[in-house]
Amino acid sequence: TLLSSLGLGTTLTFASSHWLLAWMGLEINTLAIIPLMAQHHHPRAVEATTKYFLTQATAAAMILFASTTNAWITGVWDMNSLSNPIASTMIIAALALKIGLAPMHFWMPEVLQGLDLLTGLVLSTWQKLAPLALIIQTAQSIDPLLLTALGLMSTLIGGWGGLNQTQLRKILAYSSIAHMGWMIIVLQYAPQLTLLALLTYIFMTSAAFLTLKTSSATKIGTLATVWSKSPILTTTTALVLLSLGGLPPLTGFMPKWLILQELAKQNLPLVATIMALAALLSLYFYLRLCYAMTLTISPNTTASTTPWRVRTTQAPFPLALATVMALGLLPVT
């Protein structure tokens, strides 16, 4: 029931051109993921669920308020007619809060840290789709400066925030903030690049989360013992992390390359330079993970030999598919 409601909420938001329906889709979506987030009854999970619920409810209320304001002034509920600047600014603020764009990102690492890895995967991929669809639909009526500022702040904060972390889920949360920034920065110039960045981001993040799930790692320290369990998986994981960082010849290079090219085409060399340097910040913490996984031998020896004799219960196909997509899609460019 919950998973179908999750899908239904997002689909409803996709299909709607009326603000009330879009709001309803977001609301169904939030209510469906909350039991999924709290299903382990761990205090951390409950705390994360509460934080998530409060932020999402605030954002939904803001969306409702802004769309009502717009309807009050213009007399139409249609999404394409956001002529009122106050309403459009409030809408983008609420949607930014929903997907965790900086400076509304503070809930994201905290919430992701409290969840298990599969729910975390749903939160950082599927839950981004509906708000991003709304942002893409309303992007033309939003102040370009505001969008650029949101994108730049998100990439910088997503890079800086992740530098000091040891928890893998928090690192992935900051990586998600940075990727969202890349999507937003190019939105007003080439929306199709936003969609491309979203697609590659989903593949790479899925690969990362499913790998961590297979080795049930949540800290950097745990990663250092994975090589003895599954050497080939360790190799592909290192490559997936570099792909998230955006190195050629991996998939993650494609959106960054095209977005920087588009920004340069739009006579924004300064923005493009800042984005490229912010990508370096992100790359640093991915490299730290790679280093811990593949270039160090962990000092804490595993006393028991059981971990790599136990077969994992996870289906191998999604992980294999996501990894292949995250590593090999660059020729599509």
Side-chain angles (χ1 to χ4, degrees):
T1 311
L2 294 175
L3 282 172
S4 56
S5 304
L6 197 65
L8 173 78
T10 305
T11 320
L12 189 60
T13 308
F14 282 166
S16 61
S17 59
H18 188 288
W19 274 118
L20 257 181
L21 267 179
W23 168 79
M24 214 150 72
L26 291 170
E27 208 62 351
I28 291 172
N29 193 334
T30 305
L31 291 178
I33 200 172
I34 278 174
L36 293 174
M37 288 166 78
Q39 64 187 340
H40 292 295
H41 301 297
H42 190 283
R44 291 257 173 98
V46 175
E47 185 192 348
T49 311
T50 312
K51 286 177 179 170
Y52 183 75
F53 171 72
L54 289 174
T55 50
Q56 300 298 305
T58 311
M62 272 182 75
I63 288 173
L64 196 57
F65 179 52
S67 49
T68 317
T69 311
N70 191 58
W72 183 279
I73 292 169
T74 59
V76 271
W77 280 92
D78 203 45
M79 268 185 206
N80 307 324
S81 57
L82 261 185
S83 50
N84 185 23
I86 303 174
S88 62
T89 310
M90 278 181 60
I91 291 250
I92 189 70
L95 291 169
L97 179 62
K98 271 221 179 278
I99 60 170
L101 283 171
M104 287 78 109
H105 66 284
F106 292 99
W107 60 272
M108 180 96 193
E110 308 269 329
V111 167
L112 210 56
Q113 180 55 35
L115 306 179
D116 67 310
L117 289 161
L118 285 180
T119 322
L121 171 64
V122 172
L123 184 75
S124 46
T125 54
W126 183 256
Q127 291 299 89
K128 306 279 190 227
L129 294 177
L132 257 172
L134 294 183
I135 292 180
I136 289 172
Q137 276 176 318
T138 54
Q140 296 315 314
S141 56
I142 295 163
D143 183 19
L145 191 64
L146 184 63
L147 279 178
T148 310
L150 280 173
L152 278 175
M153 274 193 75
S154 298
T155 40
L156 284 167
I157 287 177
W160 256 311
L163 293 182
N164 213 7
Q165 303 291 342
T166 55
Q167 299 281 353
L168 295 177
R169 286 166 292 187
K170 280 196 176 175
I171 287 184
L172 282 165
Y174 279 112
S175 123
S176 163
I177 295 167
H179 277 92
M180 289 293 140
W182 279 90
M183 287 171 219
I184 296 298
I185 198 88
V186 76
L187 179 60
Q188 45 196 329
Y189 308 114
Q192 61 274 20
L193 285 186
T194 302
L195 287 174
L196 175 78
L198 177 67
L199 202 62
T200 51
Y201 162 75
I202 286 178
F203 281 138
M204 297 184 294
T205 309
S206 309
F209 268 107
L210 291 169
T211 310
L212 296 181
K213 179 84 178 74
T214 308
S215 54
S216 52
T218 54
K219 293 190 190 68
I220 292 188
T222 325
L223 282 181
T225 57
V226 172
W227 63 272
S228 51
K229 262 192 205 177
S230 42
I232 296 179
L233 190 62
T234 308
T235 316
T236 54
T237 310
L239 286 172
V240 164
L241 287 168
L242 292 176
S243 180
L244 266 167
L247 291 186
L250 305 166
T251 311
F253 180 55
M254 170 165 64
K256 288 195 170 31
W257 180 23
L258 294 172
I259 286 172
L260 287 176
Q261 186 184 348
E262 181 62 37
L263 289 173
K265 219 189 285 180
Q266 299 284 350
N267 279 338
L268 297 166
L270 186 63
V271 176
T273 311
I274 296 174
M275 295 296 283
L277 292 175
L280 277 181
L281 287 171
S282 300
L283 183 61
Y284 176 77
F285 58 81
Y286 297 124
L287 277 174
R288 245 176 79 202
L289 295 187
C290 286
Y291 179 74
M293 279 196 88
T294 53
L295 299 174
T296 55
I297 289 183
S298 174
N300 48 343
T301 52
T302 31
S304 62
T305 52
T306 40
W308 46 85
R309 300 198 187 282
V310 175
R311 296 297 301 271
T312 170
T313 53
Q314 189 186 337
F317 178 68
L319 172 58
L321 180 72
T323 305
V324 168
M325 293 297 201
L327 298 184
L329 279 187
L330 189 67
V332 175
T333 322

